[in-house]
Amino acid sequence: MFVVSNTRTNYLLNVGKFLPDYTAQQYRKNHLQTRSHENLKSHNCEDSNLHTCHRENLKSHKRFKKTGGEGVDKSNCEFSLDDFWLKLRVSSKYISNEVTKLCLAFSKSPLPGVTQTHEMLRTLETAYLEVLSTFYTLPKSCGLVLRKEVNMAVLQIVESLITVVMSLQEEGDKAQKDRLMLTGRVWDACEAIEGLPQNNLQVTCKIIQREDGLVLDALQEIEEEVAAEQSGNGLRTEEEEEEDNSMTWSNQDRELLFPCMGLVKTARSSFKRIGAVLQIKGKFETEEQISQLDDLVSKSVEISPAVDDMVSCMYPPMNKDAVRSAAAVLKTRVEALLHMVKQSHYATEEDIGWIEFLLKAVAHNNNKLLPLLNS
């Protein structure tokens, strides 16, 4: 009975787990060298040493991990984002088709022999490398956020492929059913390419919406806790506070709650406003506009962790030092975000009003909070 070795699985893991930046020219050069090396060795491959041959042939692929750089040299060629997406869709569908053939071949007896398995894995490898090659043509000038989004999608394909290849080592009815499920994950990962945002603006809008949702969830969580506590207890005497101080807010804590919630609400309002403006006025026509979108994302993803820290400090019993630290971080990050938006291409004169209003709201809530923390 033929059992697939770990060589091809380890190759997929080593080559694909972390997709580095890499020039398309260097990739193609190394890939051609690898293929020449493989062709020379393939004549000497016998079934008995197939795994050793694969191991030697695939080692040279790992060289690309050591080189960094942009996806494509724009001085030598013109990049088309539409062509890129077409190639990526075609190559991902190629993977989906080839992994289906592999799964079907291992779903019934007799199982494929060494030579047939070797050819199927080589074809699957070619399909996988085509996706990688396409990914590396995406230049950073199209947006770091877009590049990261595509990177993650390709990683999903790679990881799902690894599990399918590893499953070939298992036999029996259960293994065949599991393999079908794992193949379905490859299909899902390949189909996900179709739903990816097509440019840096679309990715940015998606991330802003996601961050807005995270902040809203945190805000609603603490609002529900406050509403439940107020409806059940109301104001309490000092004796009542001492009985269960760890489970409910003290009267002093309640004074801190409102400016703390004000900071969180301002963060949420900022995302809501920014998202609306981006949908209407956001552009990705120049490298400066694309860079501003990247910067917006880098600032935005810092907000929800700060909100989480702020909300965590708002549960009883409230610690003033923790509240002071969390509030300072959230205030600084929201202000930095709003000031950056104010200078961006998607904020016009008519947007200055709401930006200034939110900046004043941050300052107002912080000014209300500081005396309470120092008392």
Side-chain angles (χ1 to χ4, degrees), residues 197-232:
Q198 301 295 290
N199 54 61
N200 217 45
L201 176 59
Q202 290 184 9
V203 183
T204 302
C205 290
K206 173 185 173 182
I207 293 174
I208 293 297
Q209 185 178 19
R210 181 194 70 196
E211 295 300 307
D212 179 33
L214 293 173
V215 172
L216 179 59
D217 287 345
L219 176 60
Q220 290 177 338
E221 178 184 314
I222 192 65
E223 284 180 333
E224 288 172 2
E225 290 291 329
V226 172
E229 196 271 346
Q230 288 180 338
S231 63

Side-chain angles (χ1 to χ4, degrees), residues 50 55 99 111 146-147 208 214 235 253-254 264 273 342-343 347 363:
L50 172 64
R55 183 179 299 112
V99 81
L111 294 179
L146 176 63
R147 194 170 163 82
I208 293 297
L214 293 173
L235 294 177
D253 287 342
R254 291 192 189 91
V264 175
R273 282 284 195 170
K342 189 176 181 180
Q343 303 298 322

